[in-house]
Amino acid sequence: MTAILAIETSCDETAAAVVIDGATIASNIVASQLDLHAQYGGVFPEVASRAHAESISDVVAQAMTQADMVYTDLDALAVTQGPGLVGSLLVGINFAKGLALATGLPLLGINHLEGHVYSLWLAPAFSEAVFPVLALIVSGGHSELLVMRGHGAYQRIGGTIDDAAGEAFDKVGRLLGLSYPGGPAIEEAAKSGAANAYHFPRAKTEGAYDFSFSGLKTAVLRAVTIQPSGGRRAKRIRGAEKGAQLRDDINISDVAASFQEALTDALVARAQRAARDFNANAVYLSGGVSANTMLREKLRAKLSVPVNYPPLTLCTDNAAMIGAAAHFRYLAGHRASLDIEARASWRLSEDVYAD
Ligand code: KG4
Ligand code: ZN
């Protein structure tokens, strides 16, 4: 049995969890900063790192108590090393280093995106993967398509060339005056809307497996805001993103449903093509946007291979997924030194620990 205490502070959730054998959650604590950031309509980095610093020791203590464990019951410590906000990552990394020093436990630095992929391993019905699988990670900061050929063996075949899928949800949500984060709010509004009310673009990209969502966001903006004529148009449109002069004849639910339809169509089309081209045995959907029911259902309907996704509570950021990923890295002999640094951008690829 391997017990790992994992810490995650890459964005706006302060999280700690104890995971057994990369599959069983002994504890999973997430302190959300949502209330702090809602007023800004996005994550405010300085506010995030201060809030992490205030709650990290409590969150870790709660994770140990909930797991009913003491440090000598653990085999290793894991912490998200990147990608993410540097100030936020540093709080978790420094805390983990201190714990490693005090307890003598080995430390592992984990890639946040790898964590999202391994959230699948924590689903109650999950049985071991039959590689290769296609991993589609769709979160607030990333949209990535990877072929996974074994534990820790990734080939990145595509990703967004501009906005991440969750970022598009958040920006359109803000434009429509919905609550933050936009993803769940748009999903809710879309329930009573018509998905064919507007035809928003499904962007073509040069790379066969790449995504682009900024054109879609602009198309929504043009459809729902008052368009002044003449040379001041572009400026006014950019302004509308913040203040939003919404037309009074639009139906927010119809816009939400049509936007969600366009965005999920684009994701599903790329996943379909990639699964076929790379002979994937399954699709592993993860990241905050994987909570979206329309995306889940469409993928299941359109793909000829099984589509797996994490339980709802593990779609958005948490430390259990970091503990699950760390388990397989631990088995492979990976260990971090005590001078590891935060990595603001860090791609998940074959040589993820190179350089
Ligand atoms: O994975 P996550 O918690 O954080 C990052 O690593 O970025 O993802 C957060 C993102 C937000 O953009 C949020 O709007 C989106 O996930 N999200 C959703 C849903 N729930 C969360 N997007 C669409 N539908 C949802 N139900
Ligand atoms: Zn995430």
mmCIF file of all heavy atoms in Angstrom, residues 1 13 16 47 69 78 104 106 116 138 141 145 151 153 168-169 178 194 233 238 240 269 287 289 328-329 345 347:
data_model
loop_
_atom_site.group_PDB
_atom_site.id
_atom_site.type_symbol
_atom_site.label_atom_id
_atom_site.label_comp_id
_atom_site.label_asym_id
_atom_site.label_seq_id
_atom_site.Cartn_x
_atom_site.Cartn_y
_atom_site.Cartn_z
ATOM 1 N N MET A 1 0.838 -1.202 0.000
ATOM 2 C CA MET A 1 0.000 0.000 0.000
ATOM 3 C C MET A 1 0.874 1.254 0.000
ATOM 4 O O MET A 1 1.846 1.329 0.719
ATOM 5 C CB MET A 1 -0.898 -0.004 1.247
ATOM 6 C CG MET A 1 -1.890 1.129 1.254
ATOM 7 S SD MET A 1 -2.858 1.203 2.779
ATOM 8 C CE MET A 1 -1.990 2.489 3.662
ATOM 9 N N GLU A 13 -7.838 27.356 -5.782
ATOM 10 C CA GLU A 13 -8.317 26.405 -4.777
ATOM 11 C C GLU A 13 -7.113 25.992 -3.946
ATOM 12 O O GLU A 13 -6.096 25.601 -4.493
ATOM 13 C CB GLU A 13 -8.901 25.117 -5.401
ATOM 14 C CG GLU A 13 -9.630 25.293 -6.704
ATOM 15 C CD GLU A 13 -11.076 25.715 -6.522
ATOM 16 O OE1 GLU A 13 -11.473 25.931 -5.360
ATOM 17 O OE2 GLU A 13 -11.774 25.848 -7.525
ATOM 18 N N ALA A 16 -5.734 19.836 -0.381
ATOM 19 C CA ALA A 16 -4.835 18.771 0.089
ATOM 20 C C ALA A 16 -5.638 17.487 0.165
ATOM 21 O O ALA A 16 -6.848 17.502 0.435
ATOM 22 C CB ALA A 16 -4.255 19.121 1.460
ATOM 23 N N VAL A 47 -4.456 38.241 -4.667
ATOM 24 C CA VAL A 47 -5.475 37.805 -3.710
ATOM 25 C C VAL A 47 -5.381 36.288 -3.531
ATOM 26 O O VAL A 47 -5.480 35.759 -2.419
ATOM 27 C CB VAL A 47 -6.894 38.207 -4.211
ATOM 28 C CG1 VAL A 47 -7.982 37.629 -3.322
ATOM 29 C CG2 VAL A 47 -7.009 39.723 -4.288
ATOM 30 N N MET A 69 -4.743 9.791 9.680
ATOM 31 C CA MET A 69 -3.341 9.372 9.523
ATOM 32 C C MET A 69 -2.394 10.347 10.212
ATOM 33 O O MET A 69 -2.739 11.514 10.415
ATOM 34 C CB MET A 69 -2.976 9.340 8.041
ATOM 35 C CG MET A 69 -3.517 8.126 7.329
ATOM 36 S SD MET A 69 -2.775 8.020 5.694
ATOM 37 C CE MET A 69 -3.708 6.664 5.033
ATOM 38 N N ALA A 78 3.424 14.953 -2.325
ATOM 39 C CA ALA A 78 3.395 15.429 -3.713
ATOM 40 C C ALA A 78 2.842 16.832 -3.736
ATOM 41 O O ALA A 78 1.985 17.184 -2.926
ATOM 42 C CB ALA A 78 2.520 14.513 -4.560
ATOM 43 N N GLY A 104 11.135 13.943 6.572
ATOM 44 C CA GLY A 104 12.065 13.052 5.872
ATOM 45 C C GLY A 104 11.393 12.275 4.739
ATOM 46 O O GLY A 104 12.010 11.394 4.132
ATOM 47 N N PRO A 106 9.939 11.466 0.982
ATOM 48 C CA PRO A 106 10.305 11.925 -0.366
ATOM 49 C C PRO A 106 9.250 12.865 -0.940
ATOM 50 O O PRO A 106 8.063 12.750 -0.607
ATOM 51 C CB PRO A 106 10.381 10.630 -1.178
ATOM 52 C CG PRO A 106 9.668 9.599 -0.400
ATOM 53 C CD PRO A 106 9.692 10.020 1.039
ATOM 54 N N HIS A 116 -5.002 16.320 -13.793
ATOM 55 C CA HIS A 116 -6.348 16.240 -14.379
ATOM 56 C C HIS A 116 -6.556 14.887 -15.070
ATOM 57 O O HIS A 116 -7.596 14.250 -14.905
ATOM 58 C CB HIS A 116 -6.587 17.386 -15.365
ATOM 59 C CG HIS A 116 -7.057 18.654 -14.702
ATOM 60 N ND1 HIS A 116 -8.192 18.701 -13.924
ATOM 61 C CD2 HIS A 116 -6.541 19.911 -14.694
ATOM 62 C CE1 HIS A 116 -8.357 19.941 -13.476
ATOM 63 N NE2 HIS A 116 -7.371 20.688 -13.908
ATOM 64 N N VAL A 138 -9.737 19.813 -20.691
ATOM 65 C CA VAL A 138 -10.373 21.108 -20.968
ATOM 66 C C VAL A 138 -10.652 21.826 -19.658
ATOM 67 O O VAL A 138 -11.529 21.450 -18.894
ATOM 68 C CB VAL A 138 -11.681 20.945 -21.791
ATOM 69 C CG1 VAL A 138 -11.365 20.890 -23.273
ATOM 70 C CG2 VAL A 138 -12.470 19.709 -21.398
ATOM 71 N N GLY A 141 -7.602 27.103 -17.858
ATOM 72 C CA GLY A 141 -6.317 27.574 -18.375
ATOM 73 C C GLY A 141 -5.800 26.794 -19.573
ATOM 74 O O GLY A 141 -4.896 27.248 -20.267
ATOM 75 N N LEU A 145 -4.992 18.109 -26.307
ATOM 76 C CA LEU A 145 -5.280 16.757 -26.797
ATOM 77 C C LEU A 145 -3.973 15.970 -26.778
ATOM 78 O O LEU A 145 -2.986 16.399 -27.391
ATOM 79 C CB LEU A 145 -5.815 16.813 -28.222
ATOM 80 C CG LEU A 145 -7.305 16.601 -28.452
ATOM 81 C CD1 LEU A 145 -7.619 16.641 -29.927
ATOM 82 C CD2 LEU A 145 -7.842 15.324 -27.831
ATOM 83 N N HIS A 151 1.720 4.935 -18.566
ATOM 84 C CA HIS A 151 1.760 5.892 -17.451
ATOM 85 C C HIS A 151 2.872 6.908 -17.708
ATOM 86 O O HIS A 151 4.017 6.535 -17.947
ATOM 87 C CB HIS A 151 2.000 5.147 -16.139
ATOM 88 C CG HIS A 151 0.797 4.374 -15.709
ATOM 89 N ND1 HIS A 151 -0.373 4.983 -15.326
ATOM 90 C CD2 HIS A 151 0.568 3.038 -15.647
ATOM 91 C CE1 HIS A 151 -1.273 4.075 -15.024
ATOM 92 N NE2 HIS A 151 -0.730 2.879 -15.215
ATOM 93 N N ALA A 153 3.461 8.632 -20.249
ATOM 94 C CA ALA A 153 3.956 8.689 -21.638
ATOM 95 C C ALA A 153 2.942 9.412 -22.519
ATOM 96 O O ALA A 153 1.939 8.821 -22.922
ATOM 97 C CB ALA A 153 4.212 7.286 -22.164
ATOM 98 N N ALA A 168 -13.192 30.538 -22.487
ATOM 99 C CA ALA A 168 -14.258 30.995 -23.391
ATOM 100 C C ALA A 168 -15.598 30.993 -22.649
ATOM 101 O O ALA A 168 -16.376 31.944 -22.735
ATOM 102 C CB ALA A 168 -14.316 30.106 -24.627
ATOM 103 N N PHE A 169 -15.861 29.934 -21.881
ATOM 104 C CA PHE A 169 -17.088 29.896 -21.070
ATOM 105 C C PHE A 169 -17.121 31.088 -20.111
ATOM 106 O O PHE A 169 -18.149 31.752 -19.954
ATOM 107 C CB PHE A 169 -17.153 28.598 -20.252
ATOM 108 C CG PHE A 169 -17.876 27.465 -20.930
ATOM 109 C CD1 PHE A 169 -17.179 26.407 -21.502
ATOM 110 C CD2 PHE A 169 -19.271 27.449 -20.985
ATOM 111 C CE1 PHE A 169 -17.851 25.367 -22.125
ATOM 112 C CE2 PHE A 169 -19.953 26.402 -21.599
ATOM 113 C CZ PHE A 169 -19.237 25.354 -22.174
ATOM 114 N N LEU A 178 -23.701 36.781 -16.528
ATOM 115 C CA LEU A 178 -23.957 35.625 -15.657
ATOM 116 C C LEU A 178 -22.909 35.578 -14.546
ATOM 117 O O LEU A 178 -21.894 36.261 -14.601
ATOM 118 C CB LEU A 178 -23.922 34.333 -16.478
ATOM 119 C CG LEU A 178 -24.956 34.264 -17.610
ATOM 120 C CD1 LEU A 178 -24.733 33.039 -18.487
ATOM 121 C CD2 LEU A 178 -26.371 34.225 -17.027
ATOM 122 N N ALA A 194 -32.584 27.508 -26.950
ATOM 123 C CA ALA A 194 -32.551 26.728 -28.193
ATOM 124 C C ALA A 194 -31.136 26.767 -28.758
ATOM 125 O O ALA A 194 -30.609 27.849 -29.045
ATOM 126 C CB ALA A 194 -33.536 27.303 -29.194
ATOM 127 N N ARG A 233 -16.209 51.572 -34.127
ATOM 128 C CA ARG A 233 -16.838 50.279 -33.881
ATOM 129 C C ARG A 233 -15.963 49.323 -33.033
ATOM 130 O O ARG A 233 -16.393 48.851 -31.992
ATOM 131 C CB ARG A 233 -17.154 49.625 -35.220
ATOM 132 C CG ARG A 233 -17.983 48.406 -35.120
ATOM 133 C CD ARG A 233 -18.586 48.092 -36.471
ATOM 134 N NE ARG A 233 -19.327 46.854 -36.357
ATOM 135 C CZ ARG A 233 -19.042 45.797 -37.056
ATOM 136 N NH1 ARG A 233 -18.043 45.804 -37.908
ATOM 137 N NH2 ARG A 233 -19.753 44.698 -36.902
ATOM 138 N N ARG A 238 -14.686 46.329 -28.062
ATOM 139 C CA ARG A 238 -13.780 45.891 -26.990
ATOM 140 C C ARG A 238 -14.290 46.367 -25.637
ATOM 141 O O ARG A 238 -14.262 45.650 -24.668
ATOM 142 C CB ARG A 238 -12.369 46.411 -27.236
ATOM 143 C CG ARG A 238 -11.534 45.455 -28.072
ATOM 144 C CD ARG A 238 -10.059 45.738 -27.906
ATOM 145 N NE ARG A 238 -9.696 47.064 -28.357
ATOM 146 C CZ ARG A 238 -9.423 47.374 -29.616
ATOM 147 N NH1 ARG A 238 -9.456 46.456 -30.547
ATOM 148 N NH2 ARG A 238 -9.104 48.604 -29.949
ATOM 149 N N ALA A 240 -17.287 46.845 -24.817
ATOM 150 C CA ALA A 240 -18.492 46.118 -24.439
ATOM 151 C C ALA A 240 -18.163 44.836 -23.696
ATOM 152 O O ALA A 240 -18.978 44.321 -22.945
ATOM 153 C CB ALA A 240 -19.318 45.797 -25.683
ATOM 154 N N ALA A 269 -15.486 17.233 -32.511
ATOM 155 C CA ALA A 269 -14.970 16.949 -33.859
ATOM 156 C C ALA A 269 -13.480 16.597 -33.804
ATOM 157 O O ALA A 269 -13.038 15.635 -34.445
ATOM 158 C CB ALA A 269 -15.195 18.154 -34.767
ATOM 159 N N GLY A 287 -10.624 17.918 -16.553
ATOM 160 C CA GLY A 287 -10.554 19.380 -16.414
ATOM 161 C C GLY A 287 -11.926 19.937 -16.100
ATOM 162 O O GLY A 287 -12.944 19.256 -16.277
ATOM 163 N N VAL A 289 -14.082 21.836 -17.479
ATOM 164 C CA VAL A 289 -15.145 21.805 -18.494
ATOM 165 C C VAL A 289 -15.705 20.383 -18.681
ATOM 166 O O VAL A 289 -16.790 20.206 -19.228
ATOM 167 C CB VAL A 289 -14.630 22.424 -19.826
ATOM 168 C CG1 VAL A 289 -15.719 22.453 -20.889
ATOM 169 C CG2 VAL A 289 -14.101 23.841 -19.591
ATOM 170 N N PHE A 328 1.737 7.026 -9.603
ATOM 171 C CA PHE A 328 2.397 6.353 -10.725
ATOM 172 C C PHE A 328 3.813 6.884 -10.939
ATOM 173 O O PHE A 328 4.708 6.146 -11.330
ATOM 174 C CB PHE A 328 1.518 6.448 -11.982
ATOM 175 C CG PHE A 328 0.242 5.659 -11.805
ATOM 176 C CD1 PHE A 328 -0.927 6.266 -11.360
ATOM 177 C CD2 PHE A 328 0.239 4.285 -12.018
ATOM 178 C CE1 PHE A 328 -2.086 5.533 -11.146
ATOM 179 C CE2 PHE A 328 -0.921 3.540 -11.811
ATOM 180 C CZ PHE A 328 -2.086 4.162 -11.374
ATOM 181 N N ARG A 329 4.024 8.155 -10.670
ATOM 182 C CA ARG A 329 5.380 8.713 -10.734
ATOM 183 C C ARG A 329 6.254 8.115 -9.623
ATOM 184 O O ARG A 329 7.433 7.838 -9.817
ATOM 185 C CB ARG A 329 5.327 10.240 -10.572
ATOM 186 C CG ARG A 329 4.713 10.959 -11.752
ATOM 187 C CD ARG A 329 5.673 11.010 -12.916
ATOM 188 N NE ARG A 329 5.078 11.621 -14.097
ATOM 189 C CZ ARG A 329 5.613 11.542 -15.318
ATOM 190 N NH1 ARG A 329 6.733 10.867 -15.509
ATOM 191 N NH2 ARG A 329 5.038 12.111 -16.346
ATOM 192 N N SER A 345 4.610 27.879 -16.875
ATOM 193 C CA SER A 345 4.082 27.139 -18.018
ATOM 194 C C SER A 345 4.891 25.853 -18.135
ATOM 195 O O SER A 345 6.121 25.856 -17.989
ATOM 196 C CB SER A 345 4.171 27.967 -19.298
ATOM 197 O OG SER A 345 5.446 28.521 -19.419
ATOM 198 N N ARG A 347 4.413 22.217 -20.319
ATOM 199 C CA ARG A 347 3.630 21.352 -21.201
ATOM 200 C C ARG A 347 3.731 19.900 -20.795
ATOM 201 O O ARG A 347 4.781 19.425 -20.398
ATOM 202 C CB ARG A 347 4.141 21.482 -22.637
ATOM 203 C CG ARG A 347 3.384 22.553 -23.350
ATOM 204 C CD ARG A 347 3.480 22.399 -24.834
ATOM 205 N NE ARG A 347 2.584 23.414 -25.396
ATOM 206 C CZ ARG A 347 2.613 23.826 -26.637
ATOM 207 N NH1 ARG A 347 3.459 23.296 -27.482
ATOM 208 N NH2 ARG A 347 1.767 24.743 -27.060
#
